[in-house]
């Protein structure tokens, strides 16, 4: 579904990404890990269309999207979450997702009428909340949610765009142990019918979730393989896993 071919990006004299290639298949979670400064955020920003590679290609379902703007990629089924949660805290959980559905559809049904009153918006928003396990909190104000629940809400808002490919940028950032467990369970279900690229620092979550893992170091992919293969890779241990230990 998503293929990256030898992309590179430099900022001045710094090679943030240098000849990276990888692929993400439908039905799998492909994790990208690496130490701080390895180039993970630059990679995701290039895939999302926020940064244009200096060279190389990005293919989505076989189509070259290397120079497509963000909105065009979204229309083709690519969606991204961010490290910092961005929701409307004074609105209800359901209203947040209904607005995301409305934004994806590109119209407001009836001008000035609240999104919550439109049955198609409300019903689809409710489906997204069920997908992330927040259906029981649909009417709760977002400001009253725990951090992990707000992160789950943001993923529901991303799902409102009906993506076929998800870019998840540190979805477990700032979570405690129990919140992390709940989020891992939510994320595991997202692979069904989708391709998921996951950037995450929580190694326990990565090794639970990932079907394959690519390791970035100094802007290059130094290893790609199954979780077991990555655990056993001496170069990976030296570059990252050993550092964590």
């Amino acid at each position: 579904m998503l293929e990256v071919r030898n992309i590179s990006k430099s900022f001045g004299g710094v090679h943030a990404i240098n000849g990276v290639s990888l692929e993400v298949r439908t039905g799998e979670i492909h994790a990208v890990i690496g130490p701080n400064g390895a180039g993970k955020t630059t990679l995701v920003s290039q895939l999302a269309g926020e940064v244009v590679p200096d060279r190389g290609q990005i293919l989505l379902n076989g189509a070259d999207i290397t120079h497509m703007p963000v909105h065009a990629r979204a229309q083709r089924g690519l969606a991204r979450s961010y490290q910092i949660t961005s929701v409307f805290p004074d609105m209800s959980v359901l209203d947040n997702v209904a607005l995301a559905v409305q934004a994806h559809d590109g119209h407001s049904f009836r001008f000035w009428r609240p999104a919550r009153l439109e049955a198609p918006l409300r019903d689809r928003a409710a489906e997204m909340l069920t997908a992330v396990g927040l259906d029981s909190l649909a009417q709760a104000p977002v400001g009253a949610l725990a951090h992990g629940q707000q992160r789950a809400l943001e993923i529901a808002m991303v799902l409102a765009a009906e993506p076929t490919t998800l870019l998840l940028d540190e979805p477990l950032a700032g979570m405690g142990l129990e919140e992390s467990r709940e989020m891992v369970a939510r994320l595991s279900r997202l692979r069904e019918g989708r391709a998921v690229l996951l950037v995450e620092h929580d190694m326990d979550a990565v090794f639970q979730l990932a079907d394959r893992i690519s390791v970035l170091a100094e802007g290059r992919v130094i290893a790609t393989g199954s979780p077991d293969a990555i655990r056993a890779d001496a170069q990976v241990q030296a570059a990252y896993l050993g550092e964590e230990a």
Side-chain angles (χ1 to χ4, degrees), residues 49-65:
E50 295 155 0
V51 174
V52 179
D54 295 331
R55 65 175 184 272
Q57 279 186 306
I58 301 170
L59 305 179
L60 183 65
N61 199 22
D64 190 338
I65 64 167

Side-chain angles (χ1 to χ4, degrees), residues 24 27-33 155 168 170-172 175 179-192 194 196-213 225-228 231:
V24 189
E28 81 166 352
I29 295 178
H30 190 135
V32 176
I33 66 172
I155 290 175
L168 302 180
E170 297 193 31
L172 281 80
M175 291 188 188
E179 285 183 322
S180 295
R181 288 174 178 166
E182 292 174 357
M183 182 60 81
V184 165
R186 292 183 180 110
L187 297 180
S188 182
R189 296 191 293 268
L190 296 183
R191 61 162 57 86
E192 297 178 10
R194 302 183 183 92
V196 181
L197 185 135
L198 170 70
V199 174
E200 183 54 58
H201 280 293
D202 186 328
M203 290 298 97
D204 288 337
V206 166
F207 284 103
Q208 287 181 64
L209 286 167
D211 300 290
R212 288 189 297 152
I213 300 172
S226 68
D228 288 343
R231 283 185 189 275

Side-chain angles (χ1 to χ4, degrees), residues 130-146:
T130 298
V132 299
L134 292 181
D135 44 306
S136 64
L137 296 171
Q139 302 306 323
V142 171
L145 298 184

Side-chain angles (χ1 to χ4, degrees), residues 2-242:
L2 179 66
E3 184 179 0
V4 180
R5 296 179 178 174
N6 198 35
I7 63 170
S8 296
K9 184 65 182 180
S10 297
F11 299 98
V14 177
H15 298 293
I17 291 293
N18 194 354
V20 167
S21 296
L22 57 82
E23 61 180 25
V24 189
R25 303 163 186 158
T26 301
E28 81 166 352
I29 295 178
H30 190 135
V32 176
I33 66 172
N36 290 332
K40 301 185 296 296
T41 297
T42 301
L43 172 63
V44 174
S45 296
Q46 288 178 98
L47 300 181
E50 295 155 0
V51 174
V52 179
D54 295 331
R55 65 175 184 272
Q57 279 186 306
I58 301 170
L59 305 179
L60 183 65
N61 199 22
D64 190 338
I65 64 167
T66 310
H67 299 285
M68 278 188 183
V70 174
H71 72 273
R73 298 181 195 216
Q75 290 167 352
R76 286 178 172 265
L78 183 70
R80 176 187 181 177
S81 73
Y82 291 83
Q83 294 178 19
I84 299 174
T85 305
S86 180
V87 293
F88 300 101
D90 295 329
M91 298 174 64
S92 76
V93 171
L94 183 66
D95 285 349
N96 269 259
V97 185
L99 282 175
V101 173
Q102 188 180 64
H104 171 65
D105 286 351
H107 58 79
S108 59
F109 289 86
R110 295 186 180 90
F111 196 54
W112 296 122
R113 187 174 181 180
R116 72 172 70 90
L117 299 181
E118 296 291 348
L121 294 178
R122 187 181 64 250
D123 293 346
R124 283 170 54 197
E127 291 178 11
M128 301 305 104
L129 290 178
T130 298
V132 299
L134 292 181
D135 44 306
S136 64
L137 296 171
Q139 302 306 323
V142 171
L145 298 184
H147 172 69
Q149 292 170 330
Q150 290 193 16
R151 296 292 285 178
L153 171 59
E154 187 173 45
I155 290 175
M157 294 169 71
V158 172
L159 293 178
E162 300 179 353
T164 57
T165 304
L166 286 172
L167 308 176
L168 302 180
D169 194 358
E170 297 193 31
L172 281 80
M175 291 188 188
L177 181 60
E178 187 57 36
E179 285 183 322
S180 295
R181 288 174 178 166
E182 292 174 357
M183 182 60 81
V184 165
R186 292 183 180 110
L187 297 180
S188 182
R189 296 191 293 268
L190 296 183
R191 61 162 57 86
E192 297 178 10
R194 302 183 183 92
V196 181
L197 185 135
L198 170 70
V199 174
E200 183 54 58
H201 280 293
D202 186 328
M203 290 298 97
D204 288 337
V206 166
F207 284 103
Q208 287 181 64
L209 286 167
D211 300 290
R212 288 189 297 152
I213 300 172
S214 290
V215 183
L216 278 181
E218 298 180 347
R220 297 180 180 273
V221 174
I222 62 171
T224 294
S226 68
D228 288 343
I230 294 300
R231 283 185 189 275
D233 190 296
Q235 189 176 9
V236 172
Q237 292 173 6
Y240 188 51
L241 298 181

